């Protein structure tokens, strides 16, 4: 039903009726899964899809939405020449030197001396919003443009102001659609307008049982009626928890351990942390990777861990087998990895002692 709602909104956007849709729901309710499913569906059509997954660290990048949208448009990390070329292509009025420098600083193509001044500058927000407005109007003339922001709550404050400015500026007859997910626990710093809101709640017992049957087939595990009822009751309608429990039972079976359902942690974060604990001697590599962020480069991880290549690759392979991380497909260059779920990144980060985390942060900053 939720996916159909998104598809209906996309159809309205494709005929030139601007749309904004918010997906809400608690942790593990399937917000990211819905967004990814919708994204995959639209990538197979003739829509332009700009995908912006965020993490807790996104709040540290001012004007992150604008920077990532421009990077997506350029196909690479933009620079000053690319930005000025885009301004000419969009037939924008030339700015004086001071305002041009302010725009370039906001978009990360020029060095910033006072970051706090930049984030509080209303004129910078106005300049960025005006540029994105012209870019979106131009892109959406050729095909429908979809901007998907997963975990809206982690955006920096200037990005919220830019999104609000875009909603005020963009004409209603624009083939543009904004879709964002939000866990709903915190009030956003800027009020945004939403044409529709989708709320993902807990599954009922029947839905949980059907999902459990699908997961059992996927992982090829046999569940007795008693164990099925225990799992459905324990998971309390949270789909991600159902998946994680089935994944854990599958791993126990593959590694020859007896299934001890009652020993599994009752909370979702506890279950994910227990997967990190399964790394045993390789846990320290996961802790370092988590400090680097949800996505990390192999070289930087090696520098931060100070391990020989053989030991590092063995640890990464162990993490990959436990489905804690996955490789990121990039065209050439240094290999990159990412935690397979934002909550796994969080579990790896929080499972290390606080004094160790502090030391790791200092080490990473020094590097």
């Amino acid at each position: 039903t939720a996916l159909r709602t998104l598809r209906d909104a996309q159809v309205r956007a494709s005929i030139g009726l601007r749309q904004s849709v918010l997906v809400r729901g608690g942790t593990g309710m399937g917000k990211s899964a819905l967004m990814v499913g919708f994204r995959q569906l639209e990538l197979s059509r003739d829509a332009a899809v700009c995908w912006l997954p965020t993490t807790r660290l996104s709040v540290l990048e001012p004007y992150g939405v604008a920077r990532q949208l421009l990077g997506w448009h350029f196909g690479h990390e933009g620079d000053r020449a690319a930005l000025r070329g885009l301004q000419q292509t969009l037939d924008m009025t030339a700015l004086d030197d001071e305002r041009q420098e302010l725009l370039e600083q906001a978009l990360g193509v020029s060095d910033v001396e006072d970051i706090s001044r930049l984030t509080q500058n209303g004129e910078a927000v106005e300049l960025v919003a005006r540029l994105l407005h012209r870019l979106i109007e131009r892109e959406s003339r050729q095909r429908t443009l979809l901007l998907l922001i997963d975990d809206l709550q982690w955006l920096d404050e200037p990005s919220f102001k830019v999104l609000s400015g875009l909603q005020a500026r963009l004409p209603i007859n624009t083939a543009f659609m904004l879709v964002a997910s939000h866990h709903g626990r915190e009030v956003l710093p800027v009020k945004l307008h939403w044409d529709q809101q989708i709320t993902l709640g807990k599954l009922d017992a029947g839905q949980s049982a059907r999902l459990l049957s699908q997961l059992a087939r996927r992982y090829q595990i046999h569940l007795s009626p008693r164990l099925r009822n225990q799992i459905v009751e324990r998971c309390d309608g949270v789909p991600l928890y159902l998946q994680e429990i089935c994944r854990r039972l599958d791993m126990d079976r593959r590694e020859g351990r007896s299934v001890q359902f009652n020993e599994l942690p009752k909370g979702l974060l506890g279950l994910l942390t227990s997967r990190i604990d399964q790394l045993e001697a390789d846990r320290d590599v996961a802790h370092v990777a988590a400090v680097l962020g949800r996505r990390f480069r192999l070289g930087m991880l090696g520098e931060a861990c100070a391990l020989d290549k053989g030991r590092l690759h063995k640890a990464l392979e162990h993490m990959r087998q436990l489905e804690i991380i996955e490789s990121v497909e990039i065209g050439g260059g240094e290999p990159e990895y990412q935690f397979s779920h934002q909550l796994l990144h969080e579990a790896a980060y929080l499972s290390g002692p606080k004094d160790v985390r502090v030391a790791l942060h200092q080490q990473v900053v020094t590097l």
Side-chain angles (χ1 to χ4, degrees):
T1 304
L3 186 57
R4 194 180 303 120
T5 301
L6 287 175
R7 290 176 67 181
D8 290 346
Q10 192 275 339
V11 169
R12 283 192 286 276
S14 69
I15 60 173
L17 185 61
R18 192 193 73 212
Q19 296 289 296
S20 295
V21 183
L22 179 66
V23 180
R24 304 179 63 176
T27 300
M29 291 301 171
K31 300 183 299 298
S32 297
L34 174 64
M35 298 274 285
V36 169
F38 179 62
R39 171 190 175 222
Q40 293 303 111
L41 183 70
E42 294 308 321
L43 282 172
S44 66
R45 301 173 182 229
D46 192 31
V49 181
C50 180
W51 169 253
L52 304 184
T54 64
T55 70
R56 288 176 185 272
L57 297 178
S58 301
V59 73
L60 302 177
E61 183 182 18
Y63 301 95
V65 164
R67 293 181 183 190
Q68 291 189 68
L69 185 57
L70 284 181
W72 168 83
H73 172 72
F74 292 137
H76 57 80
E77 193 170 319
D79 54 24
R80 186 175 292 182
L83 175 61
R84 295 194 176 192
L86 176 64
Q87 288 174 276
Q88 290 180 350
T89 303
L90 298 175
D91 297 324
M92 297 190 71
T93 306
L95 301 172
D96 58 56
D97 291 346
E98 186 178 347
R99 296 171 79 211
Q100 181 67 30
E101 180 67 17
L102 186 61
L103 176 64
E104 290 174 0
Q105 287 180 352
L107 295 175
V109 298
S110 182
D111 293 334
V112 182
E113 292 181 6
D114 186 355
I115 194 75
S116 60
R117 175 180 166 272
L118 181 66
T119 56
Q120 300 300 320
N121 193 314
E123 188 173 16
V125 171
E126 177 69 17
L127 290 170
V128 172
R130 191 181 304 162
L131 176 72
L132 292 193
H133 171 210
R134 297 292 285 271
L135 175 61
I136 289 170
E137 277 201 319
R138 180 173 174 271
E139 286 284 333
S140 61
R141 285 193 203 111
Q142 302 165 13
R143 54 183 178 163
T144 312
L145 175 60
L146 274 63
L147 177 60
L148 275 58
I149 305 174
D150 196 16
D151 285 326
L152 184 70
Q153 66 272 9
W154 302 132
L155 284 183
D156 60 288
E157 192 166 334
S159 286
F160 281 111
K161 292 176 180 176
V162 168
L163 287 175
S164 178
L166 280 176
Q167 287 190 333
R169 284 171 170 276
L170 283 170
I172 193 65
N173 59 331
T174 306
F176 172 71
M177 180 174 172
L178 169 65
V179 185
S181 68
H182 179 223
H183 59 38
R185 291 194 297 272
E186 299 147 12
V187 177
L188 300 178
V190 172
K191 187 171 176 59
L192 298 173
H193 168 73
W194 303 103
D195 298 306
Q196 294 189 75
Q197 294 195 29
I198 298 170
T199 302
L200 300 180
K202 292 182 177 181
L203 307 179
D204 61 31
Q207 292 170 326
S208 295
R210 288 197 294 277
L211 177 56
L212 184 55
S213 295
Q214 289 184 354
L215 290 167
R217 284 197 297 272
R218 174 184 169 184
Y219 289 108
Q220 297 181 332
I221 52 178
H222 174 70
L223 303 172
S224 67
R226 179 171 173 272
L227 186 55
R228 277 176 175 275
N229 291 335
Q230 282 181 311
I231 293 174
V232 169
E233 186 177 344
R234 168 82 72 86
C235 293
D236 193 28
V238 179
L240 183 60
Y241 197 10
L242 268 170
Q243 182 178 15
E244 284 301 318
I245 278 192
C246 289
R247 195 195 306 263
R248 179 61 180 270
L249 293 175
D250 175 49
M251 286 179 182
D252 286 348
R253 184 200 61 188
R254 278 188 290 167
E255 295 179 12
R257 292 192 296 266
S258 60
V259 176
Q260 300 294 332
F261 177 76
N262 291 327
E263 293 178 8
L264 293 178
K266 288 187 165 56
L268 178 58
L269 195 59
L271 190 61
L272 295 171
T273 302
S274 73
R275 190 164 2 147
I276 305 297
D277 291 340
Q278 286 181 281
L279 289 169
E280 297 175 343
D282 296 325
R283 255 185 312 187
D284 55 341
V285 179
H287 293 157
V288 176
V291 168
L292 291 175
R294 182 176 177 189
R295 181 167 169 170
F296 55 91
R297 297 196 308 272
L298 177 60
M300 189 67 169
L301 180 65
E303 290 280 344
C305 289
L307 295 174
D308 62 79
K309 283 188 177 180
R311 166 79 204 286
L312 182 62
H313 282 288
K314 179 175 170 291
L316 285 170
E317 180 60 22
H318 194 184
M319 291 166 71
R320 197 185 60 75
Q321 286 175 350
L322 290 174
E323 298 180 12
I324 292 169
I325 63 169
E326 57 197 10
S327 59
V328 177
E329 295 296 329
I330 52 174
E334 189 181 0
E336 290 190 26
Y337 298 87
Q338 68 179 15
F339 284 89
S340 53
H341 196 280
Q342 169 64 21
L343 290 174
L344 264 172
H345 173 223
E346 201 167 306
Y349 183 81
L350 296 174
S351 62
K354 186 176 180 181
D355 59 330
V356 174
R357 286 206 303 272
V358 170
L360 287 174
H361 274 290
Q362 291 172 341
Q363 189 179 340
V364 169
V365 169
T366 303
L367 284 171

